[in-house]
């Protein structure tokens, strides 16, 4: 126990002056969440104090009885206001230059997950890629239950909220929407998506829609497009295996088949390469191909555009949806191919069967050919090992029996040798109409414009997320290209570790540099510090190239992560994920060093240790049904885990068990208190409490009163500790919400989510759990987005509040809060903060209880005041120095100890701090620095919180 512990009662913080909160109600169809906007005016005199037990804590809190009816948009009783990882509390997400902003003009550093890998696969028949029953019956499939069923949504969303991963890239493949045929949409599946999205605001989650594809479709070895798109192009998908047109796990994994592959090799095989070429530039390279009276390019693009415009119309009004992505990992197909006889080794993966474009076309036409087979090697990733005969059956991959590219004169069979030959070597390199060299980006940018206009005609404020071809630079935006609300969203992985599924922290390689001719020794890095330097450099290149080519637009890394089956799956047997934590920490530290928003790949509700993500042998999920809880922190090695059983072992139906446990421990009706104060008959510091039995006797109109109704709270700076007693702490590392998590030590980490300025640097040290964040004031103050309310609004709101708190019947108070009642137009809102609200900027930092629940905290700030609310996993910080460009810093580090203590290490005339504790409640802690000082550790306020 530190010797500086205070034995006297906690001392109050210096008084702070606040303007009155004037909150207007707003009607939002699908928005049900609270804001926590404060009205910080100025810091009071050093010698002034405020007593938390005075009238500031006498404000009313009226809560409602839980009912079974749910409003669109979700929401919950007494939902905590303004958590750092709640993307609703700051207003609508917008952008300014390279940053995301909220309605308070704070910079947002978004982070979350891809949801999820199993969304690529139908639920009926089971689409897992190790199965093949009913595989070719592509029109009669169903994706209901993806990414998870509605009755499991609370479990998974709650887990993501507790981990601080509340920005979601929601996978919605084209096949899931339009599998039955062109223009036939699966409305039941869309209904199920809407149910899930409506629930997101309850957990502070926002999302954007990802029209996910890999290698065009499941039937060409990936995911995405419906099977009938091959029929439109004239391809017979049942012949892809024998002709080598695709390596499909569902059909190729049989004894004696070709060697194991990595699914991206399908991009250069006949099936996917043909479909991408027709989709982007069929008018240019296949003008003879028509389908249902339309040129093939127009047919494919129109179906795609109409499908996602239809989805946008169905999702219109759902506040959780911030935008749509154009397409996951687009590929040019044959467009721009310089050599039909050989692919470029530096830009394509050579592994397994590796036919050239000419050989792929000939195989699809029924020819049997010897094909090179490549295997893993060192120092180059692969090498040629042998050749083997492919398509000895002489099957044809075309429905009409003739190759489309042969029809267009690209190749033919030499009449003398019987071998395939190239007749137009520059066919895909030179535009036959203009004679100019083809640039795939011209076709891609044209489609981005079409897609953006289709989506934004329905959702005008929607972001459009755009990514380049994997491992390639972004396209260059010109004045003629679509600019409105574009977000640059590339992907990044450590490709060497991903390909070899290994990581020990000793050696990493810059594959990005190697592909551009970098010397292998210069591209080799040693140790974990070397890995961070390697990854940081690669991500910096991606960011800077994107800002240069795309323009000064927001950047979000749409996919990043690590394979969980590294090192021969040793962690699955031992439960020791320390290599995974080190690997992920290096990745996430590098993202943070570049101040990047990101969505991890991926959170998969059906992941297990046997089949991983159930797609093409991948296993990336940060959650698994077979993962024991918890993983041991590198900073706590040797501390035994309380329960090493997996979800399967703990409960046959874990989702239902979690809900059952939550209901038994957090049932609101068991711990509800309705506070009523009559100023005429009661002392000022006394409350009349309504018991559970009395409350249940109240007549409630369930049709107009739902569990979502409540009164919004004001800023955490204005609330004493017991005002948080109805909020549930987000819990320590052994809480049930972490069951199933993998490598959580690295994944769950502090971050500045909403910054009242521009970020400069952020750093988290996994070994010591020390977090440092620096930011500066805007050089030019942003134009206010939220307007100041009028004096008339003040008087009207004050009158209504007074009438609600002066001893009226309980039924009248309850009825006054029913939606649509006159009193419901008082300072209560759901969803985004309304216009007309007085605001002041606060920086909000996510402080995960997973790491800091069992340790003390030292919080140091350069200037201003702060409050740490453990229940919200949030540190609120308001800087005082408002000069343009002024720099502010926050330092958070753990202190071990058995008791709660606040230790002000600076003189009392400079800073005051206190900590309060109540039975059954976590701590509400204030800190401040009353004098603006230069940024340094010596000038910071330090409070120890246990």
């Amino acid at each position: 126990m530190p010797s500086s512990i205070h034995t006297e009662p906690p001392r109050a913080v210096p008084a702070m002056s606040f303007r009155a909160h004037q909150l207007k109600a707003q009607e939002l169809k699908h928005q049900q969440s609270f804001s926590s906007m404060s009205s910080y005016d100025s810091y009071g005199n050093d010698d002034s104090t405020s007593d938390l037990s005075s009238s500031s804590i006498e404000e009313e809190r009226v809560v409602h009885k839980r009912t079974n009816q749910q409003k669109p948009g979700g929401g919950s009783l007494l939902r905590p206001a303004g958590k750092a990882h709640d993307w609703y509390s700051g207003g609508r997400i917008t952008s300014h230059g390279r940053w995301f902003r909220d309605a308070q003009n704070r910079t947002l550093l978004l982070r979350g997950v891809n949801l999820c890998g199993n969304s690529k696969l139908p639920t009926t028949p089971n689409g897992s890629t190790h199965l093949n029953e009913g595989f070719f019956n592509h029109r009669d499939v169903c994706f209901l239950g993806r990414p998870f069923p509605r009755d499991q949504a609370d479990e998974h969303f709650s887990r993501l909220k507790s981990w601080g991963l509340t920005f979601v890239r929601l996978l919605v493949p084209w096949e899931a929407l339009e599998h039955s045929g062109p223009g036939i949409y699966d409305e039941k599946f869309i209904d199920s998506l809407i149910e899930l999205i409506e629930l997101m605001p309850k957990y502070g989650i926002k999302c954007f829609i990802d029209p996910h594809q890999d290698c065009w479709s499941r039937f060409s070895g990936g995911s995405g497009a419906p099977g009938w798109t091959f029929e439109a192009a004239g391809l017979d998908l049942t012949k892809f295996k024998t002709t080598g047109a695709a390596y499909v796990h569902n059909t190729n994994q049989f004894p004696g088949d070709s060697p194991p592959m990595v699914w991206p090799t399908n991009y250069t095989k006949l099936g996917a390469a043909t479909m991408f070429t027709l989709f982007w530039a069929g008018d240019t390279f296949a003008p003879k191909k028509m389908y249902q009276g339309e040129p093939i390019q127009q047919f494919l693009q129109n179906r795609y555009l109409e499908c996602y415009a239809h989805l946008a119309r169905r999702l219109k009004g759902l506040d959780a949806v911030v935008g749509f992505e154009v397409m996951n990992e687009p590929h040019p197909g044959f467009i721009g191919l310089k050599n039909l006889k050989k692919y470029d080794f530096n830009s394509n993966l050579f592994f397994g069967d590796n036919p050239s474009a000419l050989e792929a076309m000939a195989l699809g036409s029924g020819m049997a050919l010897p094909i090179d087979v490549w295997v893993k090697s060192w120092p180059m990733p692969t090498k040629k090992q042998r050749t083997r005969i492919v398509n000895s059956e002489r099957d044809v991959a075309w429905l009409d029996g003739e190759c489309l590219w042969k029809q267009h004169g690209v190749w033919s069979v030499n009449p003398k040798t019987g071998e395939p030959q190239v007749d137009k070597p520059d066919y895909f390199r030179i535009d036959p109409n203009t004679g100019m060299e083809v640039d795939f980006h011209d076709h891609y940018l044209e489609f981005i414009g079409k897609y953006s206009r289709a989506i934004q005609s329905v959702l005008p404020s929607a972001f459009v997320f755009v990514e380049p071809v994997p491992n390639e630079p972004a396209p260059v935006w010109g004045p003629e290209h679509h600019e409105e609300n574009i977000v640059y969203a590339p992907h990044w992985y450590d490709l060497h570790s991903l390909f070899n599924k290994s990581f020990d922290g000793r050696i990493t390689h810059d594959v990005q540099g190697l592909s551009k001719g970098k010397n292998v020794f210069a591209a080799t890095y040693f140790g974990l510090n070397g890995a961070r330097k390697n990854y940081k450099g690669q991500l910096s290149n991606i960011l800077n190239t994107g800002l240069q080519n795309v323009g000064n637009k927001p950047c979000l890394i749409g996919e990043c992560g690590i394979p969980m089956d590294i090192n021969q799956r040793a962690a699955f047997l031992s439960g020791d994920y320390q290599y995974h934590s080190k690997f992920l920490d290096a990745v996430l530290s590098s993202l943070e060093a570049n101040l990047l928003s990101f969505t991890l790949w991926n959170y998969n509700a059906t992941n297990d240790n046997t089949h991983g993500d159930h797609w093409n042998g991948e296993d990336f999920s940060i959650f698994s049904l077979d993962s024991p809880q918890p993983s041991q922190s590198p900073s706590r090695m040797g501390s035994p885990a309380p329960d090493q059983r997996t979800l399967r072992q703990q409960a046959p139906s874990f989702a239902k068990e979690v809900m059952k446990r939550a209901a038994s421990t957090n049932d609101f009706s068991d711990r509800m208190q309705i506070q009523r104060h009559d100023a005429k008959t009661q002392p000022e510091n006394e409350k009349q409490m309504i018991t559970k039995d009395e409350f249940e006797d109240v007549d409630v109109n369930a049709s107009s009163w739902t569990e979502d109704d409540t009164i919004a709270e004001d800023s955490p700076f204005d609330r004493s500790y017991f005002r948080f007693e109805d909020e549930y702490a987000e819990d320590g590392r052994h809480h049930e919400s972490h069951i199933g998590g993998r490598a959580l030590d690295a994944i769950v980490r502090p971050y500045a989510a909403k910054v009242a300025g521009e970020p400069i640097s952020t750093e988290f040290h996994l070994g010591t759990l020390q977090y440092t964040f620096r930011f500066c004031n805007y050089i030019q103050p942003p134009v206010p987005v939220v307007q100041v309310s009028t004096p008339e609004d003040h008087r009207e709101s004050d009158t209504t509040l007074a009438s609600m708190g002066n001893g009226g019947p309980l039924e009248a108070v309850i009825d006054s809060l029913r939606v649509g009642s006159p009193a419901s137009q008082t300072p209560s809102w759901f969803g985004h903060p309304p216009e007309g609200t007085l605001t002041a900027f606060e920086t909000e930092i996510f402080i995960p209880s997973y790491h800091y629940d069992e340790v003390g905290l030292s919080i140091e700030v350069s200037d201003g005041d702060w409050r740490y609310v453990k229940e919200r996993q949030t540190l609120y910080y308001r800087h005082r120095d408002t000069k343009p460009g002024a720099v502010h810093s926050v330092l958070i580090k753990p202190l071990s100890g058995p008791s709660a203590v606040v230790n002000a290490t600076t003189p009392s005339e400079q800073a005051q701090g206190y900590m309060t504790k109540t039975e059954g409640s976590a701590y509400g802690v204030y800190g401040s620095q009353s004098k603006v000082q230069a940024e340094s550790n010596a000038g910071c306020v330090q409070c120890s919180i246990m």
Side-chain angles (χ1 to χ4, degrees):
M1 182 75 67
S3 59
S4 57
I5 297 175
H6 292 295
T7 57
E8 68 271 23
R11 297 157 62 185
V13 293
M16 292 178 283
S17 301
F18 295 88
R19 303 187 190 96
H21 291 266
Q22 303 298 334
L23 314 177
K24 293 182 178 179
Q26 76 179 51
E27 296 179 359
L28 296 173
K29 182 177 180 182
H30 295 299
Q31 301 179 166
Q32 304 294 331
S33 62
F34 292 145
S35 175
S36 173
M37 304 173 66
S38 67
S39 306
Y40 177 57
D41 183 13
S42 62
Y43 205 80
N45 297 328
D46 290 347
D47 58 353
S48 61
T49 61
S50 63
D51 185 356
L52 287 185
S53 64
S54 64
S55 59
S56 66
I57 61 175
E58 298 298 328
E59 299 175 17
E60 308 263 342
R61 183 163 181 77
V62 179
V63 297
H64 291 175
K65 183 176 179 181
R66 183 183 300 272
T67 68
N68 292 326
Q69 187 171 350
Q70 177 97 7
K71 280 185 181 180
S76 68
L77 288 164
L78 299 178
R79 179 170 176 270
K83 294 181 179 180
H85 48 305
D86 181 331
W87 302 117
Y88 296 82
S89 63
R92 185 170 66 87
I93 297 178
T94 59
S95 65
H96 181 83
R98 67 152 291 192
W99 303 107
F100 291 103
R101 292 269 184 90
D102 66 9
Q104 300 181 52
N105 279 307
R106 293 179 298 184
T107 299
L108 304 181
L109 295 175
L110 307 169
R111 66 175 61 184
V113 296
N114 281 259
L115 199 64
C116 65
N118 68 18
S119 295
K120 303 177 182 183
L121 308 168
T123 50
T124 306
N126 188 336
S128 297
T129 55
H130 63 283
L131 306 174
N132 57 29
E133 184 177 355
F135 178 71
F136 292 116
N137 191 14
H138 57 83
R139 292 177 185 261
D140 297 325
V141 297
C142 176
F143 284 74
L144 283 174
R146 301 297 191 205
F148 37 69
R150 171 60 183 83
D151 62 0
Q152 297 179 17
D154 288 285
E155 170 203 337
H156 296 297
F157 285 157
S158 178
R159 184 175 289 117
L160 291 175
K161 183 189 73 169
S162 70
W163 295 349
L165 301 175
T166 47
F167 193 70
V168 165
R169 183 176 184 242
L170 186 62
L171 277 68
V172 186
W174 187 5
E175 183 188 10
L177 300 171
E178 202 176 358
H179 49 80
S180 296
I184 305 173
Y185 304 126
D186 191 334
E187 301 294 353
K188 289 185 177 180
F189 172 71
I190 297 176
D191 289 341
S192 71
L193 276 182
I194 291 173
E195 286 186 354
L196 292 181
I197 295 171
E198 284 177 339
L199 192 61
M200 289 181 178
K202 177 179 177 181
Y203 298 94
I205 294 172
K206 290 204 172 189
C207 71
F208 65 99
I209 304 301
D210 165 28
H212 203 88
Q213 72 80 33
D214 306 279
C215 304
W216 185 259
S217 172
R218 285 194 301 131
F219 306 99
S220 49
S223 65
W228 50 260
T229 59
F230 293 103
E231 297 171 356
L235 285 163
D236 183 353
L237 53 81
T238 66
K239 303 298 184 181
F240 284 180
K241 178 191 174 190
T242 54
T243 61
Y247 188 109
V248 182
H249 276 238
N250 301 73
T251 61
N252 280 63
Q253 290 189 334
F254 294 99
D257 270 0
S258 57
M261 53 77 66
V262 174
W263 60 264
T265 62
N266 280 311
Y267 277 116
T268 58
K269 291 183 168 61
L270 180 67
T274 294
M275 294 308 302
F276 278 116
T277 305
L278 298 179
F279 184 85
W280 303 119
D283 292 350
T284 301
F285 298 113
K288 298 178 183 179
K289 183 61 182 175
M290 307 285 290
Y291 188 74
Q292 294 185 358
E294 288 185 88
I296 187 61
Q297 175 185 330
Q298 304 308 316
F299 174 81
L300 292 172
Q301 287 193 4
N302 288 341
R303 300 296 82 72
Y304 187 92
L305 294 171
E306 291 170 7
C307 179
Y308 284 99
H310 175 76
L311 180 62
R313 285 190 291 272
R314 291 294 314 275
L315 302 185
K316 185 177 182 179
L318 294 178
D319 191 45
V321 180
V322 302
F324 278 65
E325 190 168 331
V326 176
M327 179 184 288
N328 177 73
E329 297 184 353
H331 194 274
F334 294 131
I335 300 171
L337 187 60
K338 297 179 180 180
N339 189 345
L340 272 67
K341 293 183 178 181
K342 185 178 181 180
Y343 281 107
D344 182 5
F345 181 83
N346 289 324
S347 57
N348 296 280
L349 177 61
F350 286 28
F351 190 52
D353 294 345
N354 187 53
S356 66
L358 174 62
E359 290 170 334
M361 294 173 186
L363 289 169
S365 293
M367 300 183 70
L369 297 174
I371 301 299
D372 293 343
V373 179
W374 290 65
V375 296
K376 293 180 181 180
S377 68
W378 172 256
M380 303 309 291
T382 60
K383 66 179 181 181
K384 177 182 173 180
Q385 184 191 58
R386 60 189 177 92
T387 61
R388 77 179 191 96
I389 300 297
V390 175
N391 198 15
S392 57
E393 300 87 347
R394 297 187 177 273
D395 284 338
V396 177
W398 298 95
L399 292 172
D400 62 4
E402 188 174 5
C403 174
L404 175 66
W405 305 118
K406 192 175 183 181
Q407 291 175 355
H408 284 81
V410 179
W411 71 282
S412 64
V413 177
N414 187 306
K416 295 182 180 179
T417 63
E419 299 292 324
Q421 64 182 16
V422 176
D423 296 331
K424 296 181 179 180
D426 294 328
Y427 187 79
F428 296 107
R429 190 176 67 86
I430 303 296
D431 188 322
N433 300 316
T434 65
M436 304 293 291
E437 188 165 351
V438 172
D439 185 348
F440 164 70
H441 286 157
D442 292 339
H443 298 280
Y444 186 35
L445 285 166
E446 180 184 3
F447 181 77
I448 289 172
K450 292 180 182 179
Y451 183 86
S452 300
R453 288 186 290 272
I455 297 300
Q456 291 174 346
S457 67
V458 180
L459 305 171
S461 63
F463 287 110
V464 176
F465 295 77
V466 179
E467 58 183 286
V469 175
N471 307 314
E472 295 291 333
V476 178
W477 251 253
E480 72 278 14
H481 299 132
H482 188 89
E483 293 273 358
E484 186 67 22
N485 278 355
I486 294 294
V487 175
Y488 179 50
H491 298 176
W492 181 84
Y493 294 95
D494 176 352
L495 295 177
H496 181 267
S497 296
L498 185 153
F499 182 61
N500 292 287
K501 293 192 176 185
S502 65
F503 183 87
D504 59 13
R506 292 185 294 180
I507 297 177
T508 58
H509 300 278
D510 179 4
V511 178
Q512 183 186 95
L514 287 171
S515 68
K516 298 176 182 178
K518 191 174 183 178
N519 181 279
V520 66
F521 297 105
T524 301
Y525 295 80
F526 299 94
L528 290 175
N529 288 334
R532 294 186 186 93
K533 181 179 179 181
N534 176 15
Y535 300 163
K536 178 183 176 182
Q538 293 187 48
L539 285 162
S540 177
N541 291 336
I542 290 174
L543 172 62
N544 293 330
T545 302
L547 293 174
Q548 178 181 341
N549 292 359
V550 179
N552 195 27
K553 298 178 176 64
C555 180
L556 175 141
I557 302 298
E559 286 187 23
C560 54
I562 68 168
M564 293 292 176
D565 53 350
I566 57 173
N567 304 338
Q568 290 78 49
R569 303 186 174 192
F572 295 173
L573 299 177
S574 66
D576 182 0
Y577 281 82
Q578 63 174 305
Y579 284 115
H580 301 71
S581 292
K582 292 175 181 178
F583 191 179
L584 263 172
D585 179 57
V587 171
L588 298 181
S589 295
S590 302
L591 289 161
E592 292 164 346
N594 285 284
L595 300 173
L596 285 162
S597 297
F598 59 87
T599 49
L600 289 169
W601 184 269
N602 76 104
Y603 181 102
N604 192 329
T606 59
N607 178 281
D608 58 52
N609 287 351
T610 303
H611 299 293
D613 291 329
H614 287 250
W615 184 82
N616 288 0
E618 284 196 351
D619 191 345
F620 281 78
S621 179
I622 63 175
F623 168 84
S624 178
L625 295 169
D626 287 340
S627 179
Q629 152 66 17
S631 59
Q632 290 188 348
S633 169
S635 61
R636 299 180 181 86
M637 290 302 178
S639 59
D643 192 344
Q644 285 291 327
R645 294 176 298 162
T646 68
L647 299 189
R648 297 172 188 270
Q649 295 166 337
Q650 291 186 49
S653 178
F654 181 71
K656 294 181 180 179
E657 181 67 17
V658 167
M659 292 302 102
K660 179 180 177 182
R661 276 183 259 168
S664 64
T665 58
N666 295 336
D667 184 13
F668 187 75
S669 63
D670 286 340
R671 58 196 307 272
M672 178 160 41
Q673 295 177 329
I674 296 184
Q675 300 178 356
R676 182 176 66 199
H677 173 53
D678 189 335
K680 298 179 181 179
T681 60
Q682 290 179 278
E684 186 172 310
N685 62 347
E686 202 172 288
K687 296 282 183 178
Q688 180 176 349
M689 312 309 298
I690 306 300
T691 66
K692 171 187 172 184
D693 294 336
E694 290 173 326
F695 182 82
E696 291 180 344
D697 290 336
V698 176
D699 184 20
V700 177
N701 184 348
S703 64
S704 62
W705 180 20
T706 78
E707 64 175 299
D708 306 318
D709 302 331
T710 185
I711 291 180
E713 293 291 354
D714 36 352
S715 169
F717 282 85
D718 302 329
R719 301 173 67 185
S720 64
Y721 71 92
F722 79 82
R723 296 287 297 281
F724 298 104
E725 66 183 357
D726 46 20
E727 299 178 15
Y728 308 125
E730 296 287 4
D731 315 304
R733 62 191 292 108
H734 302 313
H735 187 263
E736 63 187 13
S737 64
H738 305 311
I739 297 176
R742 293 161 142 184
L744 295 185
D745 298 305
I747 293 168
V748 183
R749 54 207 287 130
Y751 69 97
K754 302 163 188 170
V755 183
E758 187 162 316
I760 296 175
S761 65
T762 181
E763 183 178 6
F764 173 62
H765 191 278
L766 180 59
T768 64
L769 302 183
Q770 177 170 305
Y771 174 73
T772 308
F773 178 65
R774 298 173 69 245
F775 69 99
C776 66
N777 294 346
Y778 298 120
I779 302 299
Q780 293 183 342
V783 177
V785 174
V786 181
Q787 301 175 356
V788 176
S789 56
T790 64
E792 289 76 15
D793 295 329
H794 291 208
R795 289 193 293 270
E796 183 179 318
S797 296
D798 291 343
T799 301
T800 309
L801 271 178
S803 67
M804 290 173 57
N806 286 326
L810 175 62
E811 290 83 351
V813 176
I814 294 173
D815 187 65
S816 69
L817 293 180
R818 291 177 177 164
V819 175
S821 67
S824 69
Q825 309 306 314
T826 62
S828 174
W829 73 76
F830 301 102
H832 291 157
E835 292 185 1
T837 305
L838 288 168
T839 64
F841 293 168
E842 296 170 358
T843 293
E844 298 179 12
I845 301 176
F846 175 69
I847 307 294
S849 298
Y850 180 86
H851 282 303
Y852 300 104
D853 182 63
E854 300 172 359
V855 298
L857 278 183
S858 169
I859 299 175
E860 301 176 19
V861 300
S862 57
D863 62 289
D865 52 83
W866 54 265
R867 186 170 190 183
Y868 169 52
V869 182
K870 184 177 178 182
E871 294 91 337
R872 299 181 177 183
Q873 300 191 103
T874 299
L875 173 70
Y876 302 89
Y877 169 52
R878 294 189 296 191
H879 59 272
R880 189 178 180 196
D881 188 350
T882 59
K883 295 191 300 292
V887 177
H888 314 283
S889 63
V890 179
L891 173 64
I892 302 166
K893 54 188 177 182
L895 297 173
S896 299
S899 302
V901 60
V902 172
N903 178 24
T905 60
T906 57
S908 60
E909 65 272 12
Q910 291 186 5
Q912 301 265 349
Y914 69 83
M915 187 244 8
T916 54
K917 182 178 180 181
T918 185
E919 198 69 31
S921 174
Y923 312 133
V925 186
Y926 289 100
S928 64
Q929 176 155 339
S930 59
K931 295 182 179 180
V932 180
Q933 301 182 14
E935 180 185 354
S936 68
N937 288 341
C940 289
V941 172
Q942 179 174 348
C943 290
S944 303
I945 309 162
M946 306 297 295

